[in-house]
Amino acid sequence: MSENENIIYDIRHIKKNFGKLEVLKDISMQIRNGEVVTIIGPSGSGKSTFLRCLNLLETPTAGELWFEGKKIDSSTDVKMLRRDVGMVFQQFNLFPMFSVLKNVMYAPMHIRKTPENEAREQAMELLSQVGMEDHADFYPEQLSGGQQQRVAIARALAMKPKMLLFDEPTSALDPELVGDVLEVMKEVAQRGMTMAVVTHEMQFARSVADRVVFMDKGYIVEEGDPKDIFTHPKEERTQTFLKRLLHADI
């Protein structure tokens, strides 16, 4: 397989405005099959907006998106794209009226038309993978934030996506619950899932990512191997950000 054939998502000069506010100014990036890309940067740098553009929760103002060699445009079936590019949110977004099991079963049954018995079996397997099989009959309100987020990851995996987007998946959690969710994400990455992760968890970015992207003020300032970014960042803005953040973590 050539290097070009291995590119799953090709992002070309994406811009995004909200009225007169220019949030993304010129973002270009390629994401390869099986690659874990972590996106770091200060609040307001455009990280989450960029991620939301990748599955069309936000429509780019300018630029081009190419997924698996096909250009995403007005003729693109958004449901099909979101089936292939799943997303895990900060606030879990579970269906409160459904049990944990039904939350995971719902999309495969209604979108992929998976038979109920097969969807149930698959859901229980995924809940086992994220350590939540004993909570299959619980409802979201009965779970901690960390448990809800693990269910949300299982739900995203149930659609058998080709790529998963994580938008600060631990930011709404109590500190003691963060580790369990990061461990699940690490296991998902180790199974070969293509992932783009917006995160403030620097240890995760350092140890799990294949590539770290630093964004600020709507631009990609620097990107590269985690070891290089964390040990020898080239750009002064990256150096300042990491010094402040890593010092705060100590």
Side-chain angles (χ1 to χ4, degrees), residues 7-11 29-31 54 65-67 72 163:
I7 294 168
I8 188 169
Y9 219 132
D10 192 357
I11 299 107
M29 184 196 306
Q30 292 179 330
I31 299 172
L54 296 188
L65 297 173
W66 293 73
F67 183 73
I72 296 170
M163 179 177 181

Side-chain angles (χ1 to χ4, degrees), residues 105-136:
M105 290 172 61
Y106 184 84
M109 287 178 60
H110 289 81
I111 298 173
R112 284 198 177 274
K113 307 303 179 187
T114 304
E116 183 174 356
N117 287 346
E118 185 181 331
R120 183 182 304 274
E121 185 178 333
Q122 174 187 289
M124 286 304 297
E125 184 179 328
L126 288 168
L127 288 172
S128 177
Q129 286 178 17
V130 301
M132 291 298 295
E133 69 274 25
D134 292 342
H135 295 72

Side-chain angles (χ1 to χ4, degrees), residues 34-231:
E35 186 178 27
V36 178
V37 178
T38 53
I39 304 164
I40 65 173
S43 296
S45 58
K47 307 183 302 294
S48 292
T49 299
F50 170 63
L51 214 63
R52 291 169 67 86
C53 284
L54 296 188
N55 73 347
L56 298 186
L57 284 170
E58 300 290 353
T59 304
T61 306
E64 294 181 354
L65 297 173
W66 293 73
F67 183 73
E68 292 195 313
K70 296 176 183 175
K71 186 178 179 181
I72 296 170
D73 56 26
S74 58
S75 67
T76 300
D77 185 332
V78 175
K79 285 186 179 179
M80 289 290 285
L81 178 69
R82 291 181 187 154
R83 191 176 81 173
D84 288 336
V85 184
M87 190 156 184
V88 178
F89 300 88
Q90 295 178 39
Q91 297 294 341
F92 328 130
N93 289 3
L94 297 177
F95 298 121
M97 75 292 282
F98 289 165
S99 68
V100 162
L101 180 61
K102 286 192 175 178
N103 261 282
V104 180
M105 290 172 61
Y106 184 84
M109 287 178 60
H110 289 81
I111 298 173
R112 284 198 177 274
K113 307 303 179 187
T114 304
E116 183 174 356
N117 287 346
E118 185 181 331
R120 183 182 304 274
E121 185 178 333
Q122 174 187 289
M124 286 304 297
E125 184 179 328
L126 288 168
L127 288 172
S128 177
Q129 286 178 17
V130 301
M132 291 298 295
E133 69 274 25
D134 292 342
H135 295 72
D137 294 328
F138 284 50
Y139 284 80
E141 65 179 13
Q142 298 173 287
L143 306 178
S144 70
Q147 290 171 328
Q148 288 190 58
Q149 193 61 293
R150 283 187 276 158
V151 173
I153 293 171
R155 184 179 65 175
L157 289 169
M159 285 298 289
K160 300 180 180 177
K162 296 173 180 176
M163 179 177 181
L164 270 184
L165 311 175
F166 292 83
D167 185 14
E168 299 193 35
T170 59
S171 67
L173 303 180
D174 292 333
E176 67 268 23
L177 303 176
V178 168
D180 288 344
V181 172
L182 292 178
E183 189 58 36
V184 168
M185 291 170 61
K186 185 176 180 180
E187 290 168 5
V188 171
Q190 288 170 342
R191 289 196 289 271
M193 175 61 69
T194 306
M195 294 165 56
V197 184
V198 169
T199 184
H200 290 295
E201 301 294 336
M202 294 300 111
Q203 187 53 43
F204 177 86
R206 190 197 292 257
S207 61
V208 179
D210 298 300
R211 179 161 42 119
V212 175
V213 174
F214 174 66
M215 285 182 64
D216 189 29
K217 297 178 180 176
Y219 292 104
I220 292 176
V221 176
E222 185 169 357
E223 62 179 303
D225 180 272
K227 185 177 179 182
D228 294 336
I229 295 292
F230 284 103
T231 311

